[in-house]
Amino acid sequence: MHVVVNAAMSADGKLSSRRREQIAISGEEDFARVDRLRADSDAVVVGVGTVLADDPSLTVKDERLCERRLANGRSKHPARVVVDSKARTPSDAVVLDDAASTFVCVGEVAPVDERMDLAAHAELVTAGEERVDLLRAFAALESAGLERIMVEGGGELIFSLFEVGLVDELKVFVGPKLIGGREAPTLADGDGFVAEFPTLTLESLERLDDGALLTWSAGGSSTDT
C-alpha cells in the first residue's frame, strides 16, 4: 500500500478559517493536479469532519481522466473512504451517492442504528472501539484491493495517520493567502507530537499558480508487506 497525503494550506499553514468554512486556496493548475492525483488513486480518504464541513463528492472531475480509468479496466472514479468513528456521516451526504463505491470506517462505539443506516449506502469497516484503529482499517482497505491511497484531510486524520506511521508521501500546495486564527485547522492537528517527530525528506519544490507545491517522502506505510 502507498499512502499519499495531499493538502492545500495558506502561507501560515491553515487549511481553512476558524469557522472551518471551505476557502479557495489553490488555483486552476493545482485543481487540475489534484484531479490527476485522484484519477491515479484506488481510493480517496477523508475524515468525517471534512464530510460535515464541505460535503465533498471526492470524484474525478475531468471526463478525459475518467475515460482513461475506464479504458484501463478500472472504475470511473476511485473508491471513497470516510473515517468516521461514531458514524456521524449523514445519510444524504454526497459521498454516499452511487457515483462510486464508498467505505465508511467506524468504531465499535458507533450506534447500531447509525451503522445500519450507513450500511445501506456504503461498505462498513469496523475497526477499533472508541476511535477507528487506522492500522486495522487500512489493512482492510488493502485486502479489498485498494493499494494506492490518497488522503485529502482534514488535520485530525492527517495527524493520526502520521502518528501510526501510515504516510508514505506528503504533497502540500502552499497558497498566497494569510488566514490566521489560533483555532483555525492546520495541516496536522490532533494532540501534536512532543517527541519522536516524524521526519520528512523534501523530494521536489515547484512553483504552481501563485504558490508552491512541495513534495516530501515520509517514513512509509506500516501495512507494507
Side-chain angles (χ1 to χ4, degrees):
M1 175 180 281
H2 187 83
V3 178
V4 179
V5 170
N6 183 80
M9 69 181 187
S10 62
D12 58 331
K14 305 297 185 181
L15 299 183
S16 66
S17 73
R18 60 184 173 81
R19 295 178 178 175
R20 298 185 179 267
E21 298 168 337
Q22 191 173 29
I23 293 175
I25 295 173
S26 300
E28 292 301 320
E29 286 184 290
D30 192 55
F31 288 145
R33 177 193 66 83
V34 172
D35 210 31
R36 292 192 298 271
L37 190 57
R38 281 183 183 170
D40 289 338
S41 302
D42 296 321
V44 180
V45 183
V46 296
V48 66
T50 297
V51 172
L52 295 174
D54 301 336
D55 197 21
S57 67
L58 305 181
T59 54
V60 177
K61 303 301 186 288
D62 189 332
E63 281 297 325
R64 294 170 297 180
L65 295 175
C66 294
E67 291 169 4
R68 188 183 70 183
R69 285 180 60 90
L70 292 171
N72 290 332
R74 307 172 77 186
S75 58
K76 184 175 181 179
H77 302 286
R80 300 165 300 186
V81 180
V82 182
V83 177
D84 181 6
S85 298
K86 298 180 180 179
R88 294 187 294 146
T89 301
S91 59
D92 61 350
V94 175
V95 76
L96 297 178
D97 66 18
D98 58 4
S101 60
T102 303
F103 295 77
V104 180
C105 303
V106 301
E108 295 286 356
V109 71
V112 174
D113 288 347
E114 278 76 357
R115 276 196 264 178
M116 291 179 61
D117 192 26
L118 286 175
H121 305 280
E123 182 170 340
L124 287 190
V125 175
T126 303
E129 297 182 5
E130 294 293 321
R131 297 182 62 185
V132 170
D133 182 324
L134 291 171
L135 290 174
R136 287 172 53 192
F138 274 56
L141 297 177
E142 188 174 26
S143 295
L146 305 178
E147 296 283 346
R148 187 166 181 84
I149 307 295
M150 175 185 180
V151 178
E152 292 201 25
E156 295 279 345
L157 175 60
I158 292 172
F159 169 80
S160 296
L161 289 169
F162 272 106
E163 188 177 34
V164 297
L166 275 171
V167 181
D168 296 286
E169 191 176 357
L170 172 64
K171 291 180 176 290
V172 180
F173 174 79
V174 182
K177 278 187 171 67
L178 192 70
I179 295 175
R182 65 179 61 87
E183 295 180 2
T186 64
L187 179 69
D189 286 333
D191 294 331
F193 295 102
V194 295
E196 298 183 5
F197 303 99
T199 300
L200 306 175
T201 301
L202 184 64
E203 300 292 344
S204 64
L205 171 61
E206 175 187 358
R207 179 162 184 162
L208 205 61
D209 295 314
D210 288 324
L213 174 66
L214 295 92
T215 299
W216 287 277
S217 59
S221 171
S222 296
T223 65
D224 286 345
T225 55

